[in-house]
Amino acid sequence: MRKVFAPLEFQSLCEEFRASGKRVGLVPTMGALHRGHAALIEEAARRADEVVVTVFVNPTQFGPAEDFAKYPRTLDADIELAQAAGASVVFAPSAEAMYPQGDETRVKLSLLPRFLCGEVRPTHFEGVSTVVAKLFSLAGRSVACFGRKDYQQLKLIERMTTDLFFPVTVIGVPTVREEDGLAMSSRNRYLAPEHRAKARAIPLALDRAVAAYAQGERSVARLEAVAREVVASEVDSVDYVTVADSQSIELLQGEVGERALLALAVRLGGARLIDNVVLGEEGSPLRGAS
Ligand code: PAF
Protein backbone atom coordinates (compact mmCIF):
# COMPACT_ATOMS: atom_id res chain seq x y z
CA MET A 1 0.00 0.00 0.00
CA ARG A 2 1.47 3.29 -1.05
CA LYS A 3 0.85 6.39 1.09
CA VAL A 4 1.08 9.76 -0.61
CA PHE A 5 0.73 13.13 1.11
CA ALA A 6 1.84 15.67 -1.52
CA PRO A 7 -0.71 16.64 -4.21
CA LEU A 8 1.77 16.86 -7.08
CA GLU A 9 3.29 13.48 -6.18
CA PHE A 10 -0.23 12.05 -6.29
CA GLN A 11 -0.78 13.65 -9.72
CA SER A 12 2.51 12.19 -11.08
CA LEU A 13 1.67 8.75 -9.71
CA CYS A 14 -1.71 8.73 -11.52
CA GLU A 15 0.04 9.84 -14.71
CA GLU A 16 2.58 7.01 -14.32
CA PHE A 17 -0.21 4.47 -13.86
CA ARG A 18 -1.86 5.59 -17.09
CA ALA A 19 1.46 5.73 -18.96
CA SER A 20 1.97 2.06 -18.11
CA GLY A 21 -1.48 1.22 -19.47
CA LYS A 22 -3.32 1.03 -16.15
CA ARG A 23 -6.78 2.47 -15.49
CA VAL A 24 -7.08 4.66 -12.41
CA GLY A 25 -9.98 4.31 -9.96
CA LEU A 26 -10.62 7.13 -7.51
CA VAL A 27 -12.55 6.93 -4.23
CA PRO A 28 -12.71 10.34 -2.51
CA THR A 29 -13.49 10.08 1.23
CA MET A 30 -13.11 11.99 4.45
CA GLY A 31 -11.81 8.88 6.20
CA ALA A 32 -13.44 7.06 9.13
CA LEU A 33 -13.98 4.33 6.56
CA HIS A 34 -16.71 1.69 6.96
CA ARG A 35 -18.35 -1.03 4.85
CA GLY A 36 -20.02 1.60 2.68
CA HIS A 37 -16.60 2.90 1.66
CA ALA A 38 -15.39 -0.68 1.14
CA ALA A 39 -18.21 -1.10 -1.42
CA LEU A 40 -16.99 2.04 -3.25
CA ILE A 41 -13.42 0.71 -3.32
CA GLU A 42 -14.56 -2.72 -4.52
CA GLU A 43 -16.63 -1.12 -7.29
CA ALA A 44 -13.63 1.02 -8.34
CA ALA A 45 -11.43 -2.11 -8.31
CA ARG A 46 -13.84 -3.83 -10.71
CA ARG A 47 -13.49 -0.91 -13.14
CA ALA A 48 -9.82 0.04 -12.76
CA ASP A 49 -6.36 -1.47 -12.26
CA GLU A 50 -5.10 0.86 -9.53
CA VAL A 51 -7.50 2.22 -6.92
CA VAL A 52 -6.62 5.38 -5.06
CA VAL A 53 -8.52 6.26 -1.89
CA THR A 54 -8.27 9.88 -0.83
CA VAL A 55 -8.63 10.61 2.88
CA PHE A 56 -9.12 14.30 3.57
CA VAL A 57 -11.42 15.97 6.09
CA ASN A 58 -12.16 18.94 3.89
CA PRO A 59 -12.49 22.10 6.01
CA THR A 60 -14.32 24.15 3.36
CA GLN A 61 -17.40 21.92 3.39
CA PHE A 62 -18.10 22.40 7.11
CA GLY A 63 -20.05 25.40 8.42
CA PRO A 64 -18.73 27.32 11.45
CA ALA A 65 -21.02 25.51 13.94
CA GLU A 66 -20.53 22.04 12.42
CA ASP A 67 -18.47 18.98 13.39
CA PHE A 68 -15.14 19.64 11.60
CA ALA A 69 -13.10 19.51 14.84
CA LYS A 70 -14.73 16.34 16.16
CA TYR A 71 -14.99 14.51 12.80
CA PRO A 72 -13.30 11.09 13.40
CA ARG A 73 -9.72 10.87 12.09
CA THR A 74 -8.60 7.22 11.89
CA LEU A 75 -5.92 7.09 9.18
CA ASP A 76 -4.22 3.82 10.23
CA ALA A 77 -7.50 1.90 10.34
CA ASP A 78 -8.55 3.58 7.05
CA ILE A 79 -5.40 2.37 5.32
CA GLU A 80 -6.06 -1.18 6.51
CA LEU A 81 -9.67 -1.17 5.33
CA ALA A 82 -8.75 0.44 1.99
CA GLN A 83 -6.07 -2.17 1.33
CA ALA A 84 -8.35 -5.07 2.26
CA ALA A 85 -11.01 -3.74 -0.12
CA GLY A 86 -8.55 -3.56 -3.04
CA ALA A 87 -6.93 -0.10 -3.01
CA SER A 88 -3.24 0.27 -3.83
CA VAL A 89 -2.73 3.94 -2.87
CA VAL A 90 -3.99 6.21 -0.08
CA PHE A 91 -3.67 9.94 -0.71
CA ALA A 92 -3.97 11.80 2.61
CA PRO A 93 -2.96 15.43 2.13
CA SER A 94 -2.94 18.14 4.80
CA ALA A 95 -5.31 21.11 4.63
CA GLU A 96 -2.30 23.35 3.89
CA ALA A 97 -1.36 21.17 0.93
CA MET A 98 -4.88 21.25 -0.56
CA TYR A 99 -5.47 24.94 0.21
CA PRO A 100 -1.97 26.48 0.14
CA GLN A 101 -1.42 30.09 1.08
CA GLY A 102 -2.92 32.34 -1.57
CA ASP A 103 -5.53 29.75 -2.64
CA GLU A 104 -8.67 31.61 -3.72
CA THR A 105 -10.39 29.49 -6.37
CA ARG A 106 -13.80 28.05 -5.56
CA VAL A 107 -16.15 25.95 -7.69
CA LYS A 108 -19.79 26.85 -7.25
CA LEU A 109 -22.86 25.41 -8.98
CA SER A 110 -25.90 27.63 -9.36
CA LEU A 111 -28.99 25.48 -8.84
CA LEU A 112 -28.22 22.03 -7.44
CA PRO A 113 -26.84 23.29 -4.10
CA ARG A 114 -29.95 25.37 -3.36
CA PHE A 115 -32.29 22.59 -2.27
CA LEU A 116 -32.44 19.99 0.51
CA CYS A 117 -29.14 20.01 2.46
CA GLY A 118 -28.12 23.29 0.80
CA GLU A 119 -30.94 25.11 2.57
CA VAL A 120 -29.56 24.24 6.02
CA ARG A 121 -25.87 24.05 5.04
CA PRO A 122 -25.51 27.05 2.71
CA THR A 123 -21.73 26.80 2.18
CA HIS A 124 -21.42 23.01 2.23
CA PHE A 125 -21.70 22.17 -1.46
CA GLU A 126 -19.29 24.86 -2.59
CA GLY A 127 -16.70 23.17 -0.36
CA VAL A 128 -17.57 19.76 -1.82
CA SER A 129 -17.43 20.83 -5.47
CA THR A 130 -14.18 22.73 -4.88
CA VAL A 131 -12.36 19.83 -3.23
CA VAL A 132 -13.69 17.25 -5.69
CA ALA A 133 -12.59 19.49 -8.59
CA LYS A 134 -9.11 19.64 -7.06
CA LEU A 135 -9.05 15.84 -6.66
CA PHE A 136 -10.24 15.32 -10.25
CA SER A 137 -7.55 17.72 -11.51
CA LEU A 138 -4.92 15.73 -9.66
CA ALA A 139 -6.21 12.26 -10.57
CA GLY A 140 -6.84 13.01 -14.25
CA ARG A 141 -8.56 10.45 -16.48
CA SER A 142 -10.19 7.99 -14.11
CA VAL A 143 -13.33 6.33 -12.82
CA ALA A 144 -14.56 7.89 -9.55
CA CYS A 145 -17.00 6.17 -7.18
CA PHE A 146 -19.38 8.02 -4.83
CA GLY A 147 -22.16 6.71 -2.58
CA ARG A 148 -25.83 7.21 -3.43
CA LYS A 149 -26.51 7.96 0.25
CA ASP A 150 -25.18 11.46 -0.51
CA TYR A 151 -27.53 11.66 -3.46
CA GLN A 152 -27.53 15.45 -3.86
CA GLN A 153 -23.72 15.44 -3.70
CA LEU A 154 -23.62 12.73 -6.39
CA LYS A 155 -25.87 14.75 -8.75
CA LEU A 156 -23.80 17.89 -8.15
CA ILE A 157 -20.54 16.04 -8.92
CA GLU A 158 -22.03 14.53 -12.07
CA ARG A 159 -23.12 18.02 -13.21
CA MET A 160 -19.76 19.60 -12.40
CA THR A 161 -17.89 16.81 -14.22
CA THR A 162 -19.94 17.41 -17.37
CA ASP A 163 -19.76 21.20 -17.14
CA LEU A 164 -15.99 21.35 -16.56
CA PHE A 165 -15.13 18.54 -19.03
CA PHE A 166 -13.27 16.50 -16.42
CA PRO A 167 -12.09 13.22 -18.02
CA VAL A 168 -13.69 11.33 -15.15
CA THR A 169 -16.48 8.74 -15.26
CA VAL A 170 -18.62 9.22 -12.15
CA ILE A 171 -20.27 6.10 -10.73
CA GLY A 172 -23.02 6.18 -8.08
CA VAL A 173 -22.78 3.14 -5.81
CA PRO A 174 -25.84 1.85 -3.89
CA THR A 175 -26.04 2.63 -0.18
CA VAL A 176 -24.75 -0.08 2.17
CA ARG A 177 -26.94 -0.60 5.23
CA GLU A 178 -26.69 -2.05 8.72
CA GLU A 179 -28.80 -5.08 9.58
CA ASP A 180 -31.74 -2.91 10.66
CA GLY A 181 -31.56 -0.79 7.52
CA LEU A 182 -29.67 2.25 8.84
CA ALA A 183 -27.41 3.61 6.10
CA MET A 184 -23.69 3.26 6.90
CA SER A 185 -22.20 6.63 7.72
CA SER A 186 -19.06 7.85 9.47
CA ARG A 187 -21.38 9.99 11.60
CA ASN A 188 -23.17 6.90 13.01
CA ARG A 189 -20.18 6.77 15.39
CA TYR A 190 -21.63 9.79 17.18
CA LEU A 191 -24.77 7.87 18.20
CA ALA A 192 -25.15 6.66 21.80
CA PRO A 193 -26.96 3.27 22.05
CA GLU A 194 -30.38 4.85 22.76
CA HIS A 195 -30.04 7.13 19.73
CA ARG A 196 -28.75 4.31 17.58
CA ALA A 197 -31.92 2.34 18.42
CA LYS A 198 -34.11 5.28 17.44
CA ALA A 199 -32.21 5.74 14.16
CA ARG A 200 -34.01 2.66 12.84
CA ALA A 201 -36.93 5.01 12.20
CA ILE A 202 -34.97 6.54 9.29
CA PRO A 203 -34.98 3.52 6.93
CA LEU A 204 -38.45 2.64 8.24
CA ALA A 205 -39.72 6.04 7.10
CA LEU A 206 -38.30 5.44 3.62
CA ASP A 207 -39.78 1.94 3.62
CA ARG A 208 -43.26 3.33 4.37
CA ALA A 209 -42.98 5.84 1.53
CA VAL A 210 -41.84 3.10 -0.88
CA ALA A 211 -44.83 0.98 0.19
CA ALA A 212 -47.26 3.89 -0.28
CA TYR A 213 -45.79 4.62 -3.72
CA ALA A 214 -46.08 0.93 -4.66
CA GLN A 215 -49.75 1.05 -3.65
CA GLY A 216 -50.31 3.93 -6.06
CA GLU A 217 -49.83 7.00 -3.85
CA ARG A 218 -48.54 9.84 -6.06
CA SER A 219 -49.29 12.94 -3.98
CA VAL A 220 -46.04 14.69 -2.98
CA ALA A 221 -47.61 16.00 0.23
CA ARG A 222 -48.93 12.58 1.27
CA LEU A 223 -45.67 10.74 0.46
CA GLU A 224 -43.76 13.29 2.53
CA ALA A 225 -46.30 13.02 5.36
CA VAL A 226 -46.10 9.20 5.44
CA ALA A 227 -42.31 9.30 5.89
CA ARG A 228 -42.32 12.28 8.28
CA GLU A 229 -44.86 10.66 10.57
CA VAL A 230 -42.60 7.62 11.12
CA VAL A 231 -39.42 9.54 11.79
CA ALA A 232 -40.48 12.78 13.50
CA SER A 233 -41.39 11.28 16.87
CA GLU A 234 -38.09 9.35 17.16
CA VAL A 235 -35.54 12.07 16.34
CA ASP A 236 -34.60 15.37 18.00
CA SER A 237 -35.55 17.40 14.94
CA VAL A 238 -36.25 17.07 11.24
CA ASP A 239 -34.33 19.29 8.80
CA TYR A 240 -36.44 18.09 5.89
CA VAL A 241 -38.45 15.22 4.48
CA THR A 242 -38.84 16.15 0.84
CA VAL A 243 -39.86 14.74 -2.50
CA ALA A 244 -37.71 16.15 -5.29
CA ASP A 245 -36.87 15.62 -8.94
CA SER A 246 -34.35 12.77 -9.05
CA GLN A 247 -32.06 14.57 -11.53
CA SER A 248 -32.30 18.30 -10.84
CA ILE A 249 -33.15 17.91 -7.09
CA GLU A 250 -35.76 20.67 -7.54
CA LEU A 251 -38.62 20.31 -5.08
CA LEU A 252 -41.76 18.77 -6.54
CA GLN A 253 -45.34 19.81 -5.93
CA GLY A 254 -48.63 18.11 -6.71
CA GLU A 255 -48.12 14.62 -8.08
CA VAL A 256 -44.93 12.67 -8.74
CA GLY A 257 -44.34 10.97 -12.07
CA GLU A 258 -42.47 7.78 -12.92
CA ARG A 259 -39.72 8.36 -10.44
CA ALA A 260 -38.88 10.85 -7.71
CA LEU A 261 -36.33 11.27 -4.97
CA LEU A 262 -37.58 11.07 -1.40
CA ALA A 263 -34.79 12.47 0.79
CA LEU A 264 -34.59 13.29 4.46
CA ALA A 265 -32.22 14.83 6.97
CA VAL A 266 -32.71 14.55 10.73
CA ARG A 267 -30.83 15.40 13.90
CA LEU A 268 -30.44 12.75 16.55
CA GLY A 269 -28.20 12.79 19.64
CA GLY A 270 -25.74 15.31 18.18
CA ALA A 271 -25.56 13.67 14.75
CA ARG A 272 -27.08 14.93 11.53
CA LEU A 273 -28.12 11.92 9.43
CA ILE A 274 -29.31 11.83 5.84
CA ASP A 275 -30.87 9.11 3.71
CA ASN A 276 -32.93 8.77 0.55
CA VAL A 277 -34.67 6.46 -1.86
CA VAL A 278 -35.60 6.96 -5.50
CA LEU A 279 -39.28 6.03 -5.69
CA GLY A 280 -40.09 4.09 -8.85
CA GLU A 281 -36.48 2.96 -9.18
CA GLU A 282 -35.38 1.43 -5.88
CA GLY A 283 -37.11 -0.96 -3.49
CA SER A 284 -37.41 -0.65 0.27
CA PRO A 285 -34.15 0.11 2.10
CA LEU A 286 -35.15 -2.60 4.57
CA ARG A 287 -34.94 -5.23 1.86
CA GLY A 288 -31.39 -4.23 0.92
CA ALA A 289 -30.17 -4.32 4.53
CA SER A 290 -27.35 -6.78 5.30
O1 PAF B 1 -18.73 12.29 0.70
C1 PAF B 1 -17.67 12.66 1.24
O2 PAF B 1 -17.06 11.94 2.02
C2 PAF B 1 -17.12 14.04 0.94
O3 PAF B 1 -18.13 14.97 0.81
C3 PAF B 1 -16.17 14.08 -0.28
C4 PAF B 1 -16.89 13.71 -1.56
C5 PAF B 1 -15.02 13.11 -0.06
C6 PAF B 1 -15.60 15.48 -0.45
O4 PAF B 1 -14.89 15.88 0.67
Side-chain angles (χ1 to χ4, degrees):
M1 183 68 144
R2 193 145 164 190
K3 297 173 216 167
V4 181
F5 301 96
L8 296 182
E9 189 189 336
F10 169 54
Q11 191 172 48
S12 304
L13 185 62
C14 293
E15 276 161 13
E16 279 167 31
F17 284 147
R18 278 187 298 275
S20 60
K22 290 175 168 169
R23 297 163 301 170
V24 174
L26 181 69
V27 180
T29 81
M30 296 207 300
L33 302 187
H34 49 67
R35 277 202 288 126
H37 294 112
L40 303 181
I41 297 167
E42 285 158 10
E43 183 60 39
R46 278 191 281 277
R47 296 167 180 269
D49 305 300
E50 300 282 353
V51 177
V52 179
V53 175
T54 74
V55 175
F56 179 58
V57 185
N58 173 36
T60 62
Q61 69 188 75
F62 289 82
E66 293 183 350
D67 56 342
F68 175 69
K70 77 165 184 179
Y71 200 86
R73 286 152 171 92
T74 58
L75 187 59
D76 290 341
D78 293 344
I79 290 172
E80 248 177 63
L81 185 146
Q83 186 164 22
S88 50
V89 179
V90 165
F91 172 51
S94 65
E96 295 69 34
M98 289 301 276
Y99 296 99
Q101 225 187 357
D103 168 274
E104 57 171 301
T105 303
R106 294 291 176 271
V107 176
K108 186 174 180 176
L109 284 79
S110 329
L111 269 184
L112 271 156
R114 283 203 202 156
F115 313 105
L116 306 180
C117 287
E119 282 194 45
V120 249
R121 306 184 74 191
T123 56
H124 170 67
F125 286 117
E126 184 176 316
V128 171
S129 40
T130 298
V131 80
V132 174
K134 284 177 186 265
L135 294 171
F136 282 5
S137 279
L138 293 171
R141 185 168 297 281
S142 53
V143 172
C145 293
F146 295 87
R148 281 175 68 105
K149 180 178 76 68
D150 296 288
Y151 191 89
Q152 185 174 13
Q153 166 175 284
L154 173 65
K155 292 294 137 187
L156 177 120
I157 290 167
E158 286 173 354
R159 184 74 256 160
M160 176 189 78
T161 305
T162 303
D163 292 351
L164 298 183
F165 305 105
F166 281 118
V168 177
T169 305
V170 175
I171 307 291
V173 177
T175 303
V176 178
R177 298 180 177 278
E178 307 270 7
E179 223 169 279
D180 66 354
L182 180 66
M184 298 257 173
S185 163
S186 305
R187 289 187 168 98
N188 291 352
R189 296 176 192 223
Y190 298 153
L191 296 172
E194 74 267 27
H195 297 127
R196 174 62 189 80
K198 288 179 168 204
R200 175 168 164 67
I202 299 170
L204 203 58
L206 299 180
D207 170 74
R208 292 291 155 77
V210 169
Y213 184 88
Q215 282 156 20
E217 183 60 82
R218 293 293 182 271
S219 150
V220 167
R222 279 199 292 272
L223 287 163
E224 289 174 352
V226 162
R228 182 180 283 269
E229 202 185 313
V230 177
V231 83
S233 56
E234 296 296 315
V235 299
D236 301 334
S237 62
V238 175
D239 277 358
Y240 63 80
V241 177
T242 298
V243 174
D245 183 274
S246 62
Q247 285 306 315
S248 69
I249 314 292
E250 279 179 78
L251 309 190
L252 294 177
Q253 281 170 350
E255 303 257 303
V256 302
E258 264 182 29
R259 62 173 55 88
L261 173 72
L262 184 121
L264 58 80
V266 299
R267 307 213 180 223
L268 180 58
R272 182 174 184 278
L273 302 172
I274 61 173
D275 205 347
N276 69 81
V277 64
V278 179
L279 302 170
E281 186 179 306
E282 295 175 301
S284 164
L286 299 184
R287 274 214 318 268
S290 55

